[in-house]
Amino acid sequence: MNNSGEPGKISFATKKFRFSDWFAERFIKVVAFMSIAFVALIFIFVFREAFPVFRMDVIQKVGSENLVQERYGEEPLTPATANPVSGSDIKVSKPSSTLLARVWMPVSDNPRYGLIPLFLGTLKVTLIALLFAAPIAILAAIYTSMFAKPRIREVIKPVIELLAGFPSVVIGFFALMVLATVFQDIFGYASRLNSFVGGFAMSLAAIPVIYTITEDALTAVPKTYIEASLGLGASRRQTAFNVVLPAAAPGIFAAVILGLGRIFGETMIALMATGNAALTSINPFESVRTLSATIGAEMAEVVFGDTHYSVLFLIGSLLFIFTFILNAVSEFYFKNLVIRRYQSKK
Amino acid sequence: MNRNRKDIIIESLTGISVLLIIFIIVSILAITIKGGWPNLTWKFLSEFPRDGMTKGGIFPAIVGTAFMTLIMTIAAVPFGVITALYLAEYAKENSVFAKTIRFAVKTLAVVPSIIFGLFGLGFFIGFIGQNMDKIFNGGVLKWGQPSILWASLTMALLTLPVVIVSVEEAIRTIPVEMREASLALGATKWQTIKRVVLPGSVTGILTGTILAISRGAGEVAPILFTGAAYYLADLPHSLSDQFMSLGYHIYIMSTQSSNVDATLPIQFATTLVLLLLTFSLNAVAVVLRYRIRQKAK
Amino acid sequence: MENLKVRAINLSLFYGDNQALKNISLDIPEKRVTALIGPSGCGKSTFLRTLNRMNDLIDNVRIEGEVLIDGVNIYDRDIDVVNLRKKIGMIFQKSNPFAKSVYENIAFGPRINGITQKSRLDEIVEFSLKQAAIWDEMQGRLHNSALSLSGGQQQRICIARSLAVNPEIILMDEPASALDPISTGKIEELIHDLKQKYTIIIVTHNMQQAARTSDLTAFFYLGELVEINKTEIIFSNPGKKQTEDYISGRFG
Ligand SMILES: Nc1ncnc2c1ncn2[C@@H]1O[C@H](COP(=O)(O)OP(=O)(O)O)[C@@H](O)[C@H]1O
Ligand SMILES: [Mg+2]
């Protein structure tokens, strides 16, 4: 016969060990596993640096000796050691007891790490951003998937998704240079940079996220729903809002949740456009300081391992937990809901 | 036709939302171009900053961004391609392991970028770097401080999901008939991947790489305290050097500079450079991805 | 009369809960053409794919029973599927050349078997193309993309590609269903030539094709093997009413 080897010579009766296949499969699996490991490592290392905040507290409660932690040996900067005379002043000696204070004043003789203004600031900016981003993005997605002619849709989608490619520092710069001035001219408030400007700018970062996922969710609604509704004499608007929108609701919630995650983790826009003053006010035209901006602004200046450093990591841990939960919710809850809906109505 | 006034108003509202978004995109582009174009000269691109960064160019920031994204790519792309291979070729859709990996990738994609910065500081600099110094460097500070290496690796982690998603999508467009042809000829799974699947996903790997570069070049938060420098008189010479970056340059020039107004042209021109860079990369990726999807049809 | 090459014993296959093959038992002789006919969806392709374990690639497939090739049960635990597939060529319904040159398509199999010597590869490529009766057409365009060829040529390239690994059995799943009559004629001629050397099992829904090309014909219906016999007998004097109905065009 012709070619490589005689026919019948190849035996398949016993398994042959092929090293390259054996190795490739294991290697690929191990590398893929690293993604899980990375998430775990992020978890561990962000929390590890945050943990001393609480330990400092415990140590001082028990003995109020000036125990310095082993790991951060040289830093004599726990408040008690930095300020030994005020041993009776409880507020000063426990860094973690100031976490619930109304003041964020990490760099002072009497440092206070009150997270409340930061939380409030983040909440305020996030709400403002979401109030802009969600309706605009969802309406735009409805237009794209329901009302636009196919040819126009082909153009709109990639154009809007271009916005996702704008680095946030560019959006921040635009907010700082242009939006702040424009809004100040319109509304006439005092502080040029504030939660309104910052929130609006952040909505620009969230719009493409919400838009894309919403558009996908709307497009995934079976055509038969739409045809049935139109067949019954409903207008396209009625069909869009009474049939398609409810059917796609879980997907749209997931979109908003992910947009939310995008907003409150946003650092550069917050740093550049919110004014960064840790005020406790509900006025949208006052400056605020968000959680992530606090990390961004202060981490470069802190002493490695001191209380302030750990508190910033604590803030990071909170941000991480929060996005993790949001992601898990959108992933498991809403995804299952979407699947179940279409299955039950098929 | 029962198109009443209400229909018309609400439909218009949805259209207006689209127009508003497009208007904002165009405004950002137009204003950046208007402010940056006059200063965008060869000199600006090829010179170091001068006079306390109030004059001169952004050469080191361009080079720093390029180096950083290069190292990032070297780290992120192989990892991303292999993970995508696992997800598309080896994983059983319903296995817990595969689902966990997918969830992890998704988590990496949504974790705020500042958290990556914290991780880079805590893990790469504080843990790996400081231990490297202890073990290899006799405790002398070299790796246990911000550097282009740690910033790039931090950024690689951030862009990993971008690579994975693009490559997996491309791998999945390769028809199952191609794999069957190869397997039916007696190729092993790995031979099939090496000779059929990978060559068929080159465009997808390229797309993922470009998207990752575009993302990495524009992100600032992860490098704020892992390696980016305010000003350097010299280009980075080693992996342990700090570097200047375009995005960080925009940030400090517009917020920390002693005389923000005087440097406005520099700020706008730097923003324009960064925007053009990320934009053109994204445009290339969009075209490539479109071609992959067409081919799949 | 002949050597037995393939034997299925009580073979059943399930896609999840859906049973696609029901207790199939049949014998296929060496160096003959065996045609599998039956209405669409009756399990012909599924059966064919059990013979080189292509169904392993599909999730949730369960197989019961045995398939013996040269007397060895290919569903035994210790079977080397890769080597099994080297022994069995497969031609698919939709021709599936790789997006490579004609030469590289044919050389694919030899290369994965570790042949790197250029002269040896040249030899195999030429020999395989000649066996597939397409050498004359391809001689000058070996380095053109296989995707630039016509459908009939692509299918014959796929046949040549599988011949290059020197199989003993060739499985063909409706190899000419997408081709024009002239290309179909060429493939049928080729099948006739190839049976000198190879055991061929061909799925077809074209009864004339089965009548023209095959020595034996097996009729499948709803996942069951209704009957298998010499092709002349099946087409002139079938044993079962269902077979008669099918070949006389009353259903399917
Ligand atoms: N990959 C698969 N998954 C689930 N069911 C399948 C699959 N392939 C084929 N089937 C089912 O098995 C039955 C037989 O299919 P097939 O072998 O392709 O028939 P034929 O080739 O005779 O037309 C059909 O009912 C078909 O729907
Ligand atoms: Mg079939």
Side-chain angles (χ1 to χ4, degrees):
Chain A
M1 277 219 166
N2 60 355
N3 316 326
S4 46
E6 298 299 306
K9 261 209 172 159
I10 301 172
S11 159
F12 58 85
T14 47
K15 226 177 214 123
K16 201 176 150 198
F17 177 72
R18 293 177 178 83
F19 177 76
S20 55
D21 264 72
W22 179 88
F23 180 76
E25 178 161 357
R26 268 147 201 82
F27 181 74
I28 289 173
K29 208 167 175 179
V30 168
V31 171
F33 170 75
M34 292 305 287
S35 292
I36 303 176
F38 288 141
V39 173
L41 281 175
I42 294 178
F43 224 93
I44 293 167
F45 274 87
V46 176
F47 281 69
R48 193 181 94 133
E49 305 294 309
F51 184 66
V53 177
F54 300 104
R55 222 163 43 136
M56 291 164 193
D57 186 16
V58 171
I59 288 167
Q60 275 144 24
K61 250 187 195 160
V62 177
S64 124
E65 299 160 74
N66 295 338
L67 287 181
V68 185
Q69 306 133 286
E70 314 86 302
R71 198 157 3 133
Y72 303 105
E74 279 126 38
E75 314 300 342
L77 279 174
T78 57
T81 44
N83 212 350
V85 271
S86 58
S88 58
D89 188 343
I90 290 175
K91 250 183 279 169
V92 175
S93 64
K94 292 186 201 168
S96 75
S97 72
T98 68
L99 289 175
L100 295 178
R102 305 273 298 268
V103 195
W104 173 261
M105 205 182 279
V107 188
S108 76
D109 293 341
N110 177 9
R112 270 150 300 167
Y113 304 101
L115 299 182
I116 288 179
L118 308 183
F119 267 110
L120 273 178
T122 308
L123 192 70
K124 208 162 79 173
V125 176
T126 304
L127 268 180
I128 293 168
L130 210 55
L131 278 176
F132 281 113
I136 293 177
I138 293 172
L139 286 174
I142 291 174
Y143 181 82
T144 314
S145 80
M146 294 295 302
F147 303 138
K149 294 192 182 67
R151 273 200 22 231
I152 298 181
R153 176 199 302 178
E154 298 277 300
V155 180
I156 295 177
K157 237 196 138 176
V159 167
I160 293 185
E161 282 167 359
L162 274 184
L163 190 52
F166 281 42
S168 51
V169 69
V170 170
I171 298 180
F173 181 71
F174 175 71
L176 177 67
M177 292 297 160
V178 182
L179 290 179
T181 312
V182 171
F183 286 158
Q184 196 173 30
D185 287 349
I186 298 174
F187 298 105
Y189 45 70
S191 60
R192 198 169 161 275
L193 299 177
N194 53 51
S195 55
F196 186 81
V197 176
F200 185 84
M202 281 187 203
S203 76
L204 301 185
I207 280 174
V209 176
I210 303 179
Y211 169 83
T212 306
I213 302 172
T214 303
E215 215 270 342
D216 287 349
L218 293 173
T219 315
V221 173
K223 286 277 167 296
T224 49
Y225 286 30
I226 300 169
E227 282 153 16
S229 168
L230 291 174
L232 288 169
S235 69
R236 286 205 75 80
R237 191 270 307 171
Q238 286 167 325
T239 306
F241 283 85
N242 301 343
V243 177
V244 179
L245 211 55
I252 299 173
F253 277 127
V256 175
I257 294 264
L258 286 176
L260 183 70
R262 179 78 175 77
I263 293 167
F264 81 68
E266 178 53 54
T267 307
M268 296 319 292
I269 299 177
L271 274 176
M272 296 168 85
T274 58
N276 285 325
L279 306 175
T280 333
S281 138
I282 54 163
N283 181 351
F285 298 119
E286 297 265 20
S287 289
V288 289
R289 189 181 193 92
T290 70
L291 292 163
S292 50
T294 306
I295 304 174
E298 294 172 17
M299 187 54 90
E301 270 119 57
V302 300
V303 181
F304 201 85
D306 81 348
T307 311
H308 188 185
Y309 171 92
S310 289
V311 173
L312 293 181
F313 268 93
L314 178 69
I315 296 174
S317 310
L318 296 173
L319 282 176
F320 185 64
I321 293 174
F322 203 64
T323 28
F324 190 85
I325 292 174
L326 281 188
N327 182 34
V329 167
S330 81
E331 186 76 346
F332 294 115
Y333 179 69
F334 290 121
K335 198 183 256 178
N336 288 341
L337 210 64
V338 174
I339 293 168
R340 230 179 301 134
R341 277 192 178 214
Y342 291 150
Q343 274 171 348
S344 61
K345 285 188 188 170
K346 215 189 282 175
Chain B
M1 271 298 246
N2 44 4
R3 233 173 95 96
N4 55 28
R5 274 235 320 268
K6 198 170 159 199
D7 287 348
I8 293 171
I9 291 171
I10 293 179
E11 277 191 37
S12 321
L13 219 55
T14 63
I16 289 168
S17 301
V18 171
L19 290 178
L20 182 67
I21 298 174
I22 294 176
F23 171 74
I24 290 168
I25 294 174
V26 173
S27 310
I28 297 179
L29 284 175
I31 289 168
T32 314
I33 292 172
K34 185 165 168 282
W37 190 253
N39 205 26
L40 196 64
T41 58
W42 174 246
K43 262 184 81 172
F44 180 71
L45 298 175
S46 61
E47 274 187 358
F48 270 72
R50 280 184 287 113
D51 300 353
M53 300 220 288
T54 56
K55 297 215 170 66
I58 53 169
F59 182 63
I62 294 175
V63 173
T65 302
F67 279 175
M68 190 274 288
T69 50
L70 178 70
I71 302 168
M72 173 205 87
T73 305
I74 292 170
V77 170
F79 248 101
V81 170
I82 294 174
T83 307
L85 270 182
Y86 176 78
L87 290 172
E89 297 292 320
Y90 286 94
K92 289 241 184 313
E93 260 336 285
N94 292 320
S95 81
V96 175
F97 187 60
K99 279 187 181 163
T100 313
I101 290 178
R102 275 186 202 288
F103 182 67
V105 172
K106 183 97 189 297
T107 304
L108 288 178
V110 298
V111 164
S113 49
I114 190 80
I115 305 291
F116 286 94
L118 288 183
F119 174 70
L121 184 60
F123 180 70
F124 288 128
I125 297 176
F127 184 70
I128 306 264
Q130 293 198 341
N131 280 318
M132 275 167 74
D133 283 344
K134 251 184 234 151
I135 297 166
F136 304 116
N137 225 15
V140 179
L141 197 62
K142 176 171 185 200
W143 297 106
Q145 59 185 348
S147 71
I148 191 166
L149 176 66
W150 301 138
S152 306
L153 293 184
T154 305
M155 202 64 97
L157 214 50
L158 178 112
T159 51
L160 186 60
V162 178
V163 181
I164 294 175
V165 169
S166 294
V167 177
E168 192 190 347
E169 184 186 351
I171 292 178
R172 287 189 185 278
T173 62
I174 297 172
V176 66
E177 287 84 9
M178 292 299 135
R179 295 181 179 82
E180 288 187 339
S182 169
L183 293 167
L185 288 166
T188 65
K189 187 163 192 161
W190 173 236
Q191 284 172 326
T192 302
I193 289 174
K194 207 169 55 174
R195 288 166 190 263
V196 178
V197 175
L198 281 179
S201 20
V202 169
T203 324
I205 295 172
L206 200 64
T207 313
T209 307
I210 291 173
L211 284 173
I213 292 176
S214 158
R215 177 85 193 277
E219 280 284 349
V220 180
I223 58 171
L224 278 177
F225 27 82
T226 54
Y230 189 89
Y231 172 74
L232 296 169
D234 212 351
L235 298 177
H237 290 296
S238 110
L239 289 175
S240 63
D241 286 346
Q242 286 195 281
F243 67 107
M244 288 178 72
S245 114
L246 287 169
Y248 188 59
H249 198 64
I250 296 170
Y251 166 59
I252 50 162
M253 295 294 277
S254 61
T255 59
Q256 326 263 297
S257 157
S258 50
N259 191 349
V260 172
D261 287 339
T263 61
L264 266 184
I266 295 181
Q267 296 172 36
F268 271 103
T270 313
T271 307
L272 182 58
V273 170
L274 181 61
L275 202 53
L276 286 179
L277 180 72
T278 52
F279 231 73
S280 45
L281 287 171
N282 271 327
V284 174
V286 166
V287 172
L288 287 178
R289 191 186 272 166
Y290 180 77
R291 276 179 41 189
I292 294 174
R293 287 186 184 158
Q294 286 306 106
K295 220 170 69 184
K297 275 181 192 162
Chain C
M1 56 172 192
E2 303 129 319
N3 288 331
L4 185 62
K5 189 71 181 173
V6 180
R7 160 172 263 181
I9 305 168
N10 289 330
L11 185 71
S12 293
L13 183 143
F14 302 81
Y15 291 115
D17 296 333
N18 170 24
Q19 184 168 9
L21 296 178
K22 297 172 185 160
N23 255 328
I24 309 277
S25 295
L26 89 176
D27 294 347
I28 290 170
E30 190 172 21
K31 296 185 184 167
R32 292 286 181 275
V33 177
T34 304
L36 313 179
I37 62 168
S40 165
C42 68
K44 306 179 297 288
S45 301
T46 301
F47 177 72
L48 201 69
R49 291 164 61 93
T50 58
L51 304 182
N52 65 346
R53 293 194 47 175
M54 249 339 162
N55 290 318
D56 290 13
L57 307 178
I58 302 168
D59 285 342
N60 294 323
V61 167
R62 201 174 86 243
I63 291 167
E64 289 167 5
E66 294 182 4
V67 174
L68 308 184
I69 288 180
D70 294 334
V72 179
N73 179 12
I74 63 168
Y75 284 95
D76 262 356
R77 189 179 297 239
D78 203 34
I79 289 299
D80 193 85
V81 180
V82 169
N83 278 353
L84 171 75
R85 290 188 186 135
K86 288 186 176 153
K87 252 177 137 91
I88 305 177
M90 186 167 216
I91 312 301
F92 297 80
Q93 183 167 2
K94 212 174 120 219
S95 61
N96 55 359
F98 301 123
K100 301 172 192 270
S101 68
V102 170
Y103 184 97
E104 283 305 321
N105 263 278
I106 314 292
F108 186 93
R111 279 193 203 279
I112 59 173
N113 286 326
I115 297 176
T116 48
Q117 208 187 343
K118 178 87 170 67
S119 58
R120 185 90 186 90
L121 287 171
D122 290 349
E123 208 177 298
I124 295 174
V125 169
E126 180 174 343
F127 191 93
S128 308
L129 287 169
K130 277 182 176 159
Q131 267 203 313
I134 195 171
W135 171 250
D136 294 338
E137 287 160 70
M138 288 302 129
Q139 203 174 355
R141 41 209 286 207
L142 287 178
H143 298 285
N144 292 10
S145 165
L147 298 178
S148 67
L149 304 176
S150 75
Q153 287 171 326
Q154 286 192 10
Q155 195 60 298
R156 280 181 291 150
I157 292 297
C158 291
I159 294 175
R161 180 176 67 183
S162 68
L163 297 178
V165 283
N166 204 13
E168 295 166 34
I169 302 169
I170 301 175
L171 310 175
M172 300 186 170
D173 192 349
E174 307 196 22
S177 68
L179 304 183
D180 58 278
I182 294 175
S183 305
T184 303
K186 284 188 183 160
I187 300 258
E188 288 181 12
E189 253 173 66
L190 183 56
I191 291 170
H192 190 80
D193 296 341
L194 290 175
K195 80 173 186 185
Q196 315 294 325
K197 281 183 173 177
Y198 306 97
T199 305
I200 297 175
I201 306 171
I202 176 170
V203 169
T204 174
H205 59 233
N206 175 338
M207 272 161 295
Q208 282 77 29
Q209 189 169 66
R212 281 193 300 264
T213 56
S214 68
D215 303 297
L216 276 91
T217 298
F219 173 58
F220 281 71
Y221 185 57
L222 296 178
E224 291 181 66
L225 173 66
V226 177
E227 65 175 305
I228 175 166
N229 213 327
K230 290 226 170 71
T231 300
E232 313 93 80
I233 299 177
I234 290 280
F235 282 94
S236 60
N237 191 12
K240 298 267 168 64
K241 172 113 184 10
Q242 282 165 321
T243 317
E244 192 181 339
D245 287 351
Y246 180 70
I247 57 178
S248 58
R250 250 167 274 174
F251 68 88

